[in-house]
Amino acid sequence: MSTKNLVYTALMTAIICILGLVPSVPLPFMPVPIVLQNIGIFLAGIILGRKLGTTSVIVFLLLVATGLPVLSGGRGGIGVFAGPSAGFLFLYPVVAYFIGIIRDAYLH
C-alpha cells in the first residue's frame, strides 16, 4: 500500500469518526437510531473504491472494538457488537465493498 493510499484510508476513517459526533435521531418503533455515520460508510466506498473503502471501514470498526467512543452517542467497546445495532456494524464493510464494486465498474 502506497503512502497516498494509506493517507486516504486514514482520512476516510477520521471522517467516519467525526460523523459520529453528530447526535443520532432515535425512532420510537425500533431500537436502532438514524445516524450520520452511515453516510461516511457510503462515502468510503464511493470515494475510495472497494479495496481502500473496505479497509477504512474495517479500521474504523477496529477502533470501535478497542473501546474508542467513536460511534454515534459516544459508544464504543466490544459490547456494541452484541447490541441491537450489531447487524449494521457487521455489514458496514460489506456495504462499502459493494458500493466500491459499482464505483469501480463505472470508472474503469
Side-chain angles (χ1 to χ4, degrees):
M1 180 180 281
S2 69
T3 305
K4 180 175 101 173
N5 290 341
L6 185 66
V7 169
Y8 286 159
T9 303
L11 281 174
M12 185 54 68
T13 303
I15 289 171
I16 296 170
C17 291
I18 289 170
L19 287 172
L21 295 175
V22 179
S24 61
V25 178
L27 300 174
F29 54 88
M30 65 188 277
V32 180
I34 296 175
V35 295
L36 205 56
Q37 278 182 326
N38 293 337
I39 295 172
I41 304 301
F42 302 152
L43 284 176
I46 292 169
I47 294 173
L48 298 180
R50 70 177 188 265
K51 181 181 174 188
L52 294 178
T54 305
T55 305
S56 70
V57 173
I58 290 172
V59 169
F60 168 72
L61 291 176
L62 288 173
L63 291 174
V64 170
T66 58
L68 291 176
V70 293
L71 285 176
S72 183
R75 296 178 302 130
I78 200 75
V80 297
F81 292 100
S85 62
F88 288 96
L89 296 176
F90 288 128
L91 286 180
Y92 275 173
V94 176
V95 168
Y97 181 78
F98 283 127
I99 290 175
I101 285 177
I102 294 169
R103 176 239 190 212
D104 292 343
Y106 283 108
L107 288 182
H108 292 120

